[in-house]
Amino acid sequence: MNTNSPETPGAYGLDTVDSQDQTPDLPPSVEDQADQLLAERESVAAENASITDASVDSLETDQTVIDADAEALAATETLQATQEAEASEAAAELTDFMEGLTTTQTTEIADSGQGFASAEVDEFSDGPFDIDPNDMSNESGVEDTSQMAA
Amino acid sequence: MTISPQLLKLIDLSQFMSAEKKQWLHANLAALPDPKVQQLWQMLIKEQSLHLRHQKEALSLRKEHRTKKLKALSLAAEKQVQQSEARQVTALEAEFNNFPSEQR
């Protein structure tokens, strides 16, 4: 196999330039998707706000108008029921993911010492920086700021 | 790890996530492993896509209803005008018929 062909990643060392341009932890495609979603969201909200309800009081009792309202109400109720079912399913999925994340991740972060793990706190209290509250000699060399306040 | 502002925005916009979970994410996001962060991205994008689709569907329904309502109002107004005109004609005819024949 010719590992130096132009099709081979790393051929001629050109891939190193490309890899430097990429953000390793944030795939651009995901951010682009988010940007597009947020832009569309604002656009839909603006269009929704621009639509005012059509009504003329003196004509509201007309049967044709009543029928149009009733049809819209029925369609809205059907749509809401469908959307609520979909939202409920998606919400359950996200809730499950978050429950798993917070439970396992809190343990993992604690074990790896990245967070305020109990082991880390214990190490301070038992370690070389342990401070004896009865020792007033201040041999640690830490500046006593209690007098500064007074 | 640098936290993407878009990801923070998606977290804040989430309607399925409790305030407590959002706070937890804000505090712990930087410490999460990359696969978990990627999974979170996907879940939040999925949620926003769903909300957006729902909003578009609701908007489409509103627009459809508005078009039908305007048409219905237009027909009702036209019918009202026709009824008014018909009443005027009837009144005029009645007045004409009641008028003494020698004065016609």
Side-chain angles (χ1 to χ4, degrees):
Chain A
M1 181 180 175
N2 180 11
T3 55
N4 216 22
S5 68
E7 293 81 12
T8 307
Y12 312 126
L14 293 174
D15 64 330
T16 52
V17 177
D18 290 340
S19 61
Q20 284 175 350
D21 293 339
Q22 292 173 355
T23 310
D25 51 350
L26 300 172
S29 60
V30 185
E31 290 195 322
D32 286 348
Q33 283 181 61
D35 280 338
Q36 193 185 337
L37 277 172
L38 295 171
E40 270 193 77
R41 189 177 180 275
E42 284 182 18
S43 166
V44 169
E47 194 177 354
N48 195 37
S50 72
I51 296 178
T52 51
D53 287 332
S55 69
V56 178
D57 287 342
S58 60
L59 302 171
E60 293 294 286
T61 52
D62 185 89
Q63 193 56 45
T64 323
V65 180
I66 293 169
D67 289 347
D69 279 341
E71 193 185 338
L73 183 65
T76 305
E77 283 175 351
T78 307
L79 181 67
Q80 279 176 349
T82 310
Q83 290 186 344
E84 278 171 19
E86 286 180 342
S88 176
E89 195 179 326
E93 200 180 337
L94 184 64
T95 304
D96 282 351
F97 170 74
M98 283 306 297
E99 284 299 326
L101 193 64
T102 51
T103 308
T104 59
Q105 211 54 38
T106 302
T107 313
E108 284 175 22
I109 290 169
D111 290 347
S112 66
Q114 291 178 45
F116 282 107
S118 58
E120 194 175 359
V121 176
D122 289 342
E123 188 181 324
F124 269 94
S125 58
D126 295 330
F129 302 108
D130 191 17
I131 298 169
D132 182 0
N134 298 317
D135 182 6
M136 305 300 283
S137 63
N138 194 19
E139 287 176 353
S140 64
V142 177
E143 187 182 359
D144 184 4
T145 55
S146 60
Q147 298 301 318
M148 292 170 74
Chain B
M1 184 204 287
T2 311
I3 306 296
S4 162
Q6 284 99 326
L7 183 56
L8 293 174
K9 178 114 186 181
L10 289 178
I11 291 169
D12 290 339
L13 285 175
S14 176
Q15 294 172 31
F16 298 153
M17 210 184 284
S18 66
E20 188 190 16
K21 290 283 187 288
K22 288 180 185 183
Q23 280 178 351
W24 186 91
L25 276 176
H26 277 279
N28 294 287
L29 199 54
L32 291 178
D34 196 51
K36 291 288 181 192
V37 176
Q38 292 305 316
Q39 229 179 325
L40 182 66
W41 267 107
Q42 296 300 335
M43 307 255 351
L44 292 173
I45 283 175
K46 192 177 168 185
E47 185 195 335
Q48 282 309 315
S49 300
L50 183 73
H51 290 320
L52 187 60
R53 179 165 63 79
H54 285 178
Q55 283 170 350
K56 282 181 177 176
E57 286 170 352
L59 179 63
S60 173
L61 199 64
R62 274 195 76 194
K63 284 161 87 171
E64 194 184 330
H65 171 231
R66 193 170 187 274
T67 305
K68 282 184 183 172
K69 182 85 180 272
L70 284 172
K71 194 177 174 183
L73 285 169
S74 173
L75 285 171
E78 198 179 325
K79 197 162 73 179
Q80 203 174 57
V81 169
Q82 285 172 353
Q83 285 171 345
S84 175
E85 284 174 353
R87 276 196 298 272
Q88 282 178 354
V89 170
T90 306
L92 281 172
E93 280 176 352
E95 194 180 339
F96 181 78
N97 289 333
N98 289 336
F99 213 68
S101 57
E102 62 271 17
Q103 290 186 25
R104 287 182 191 175

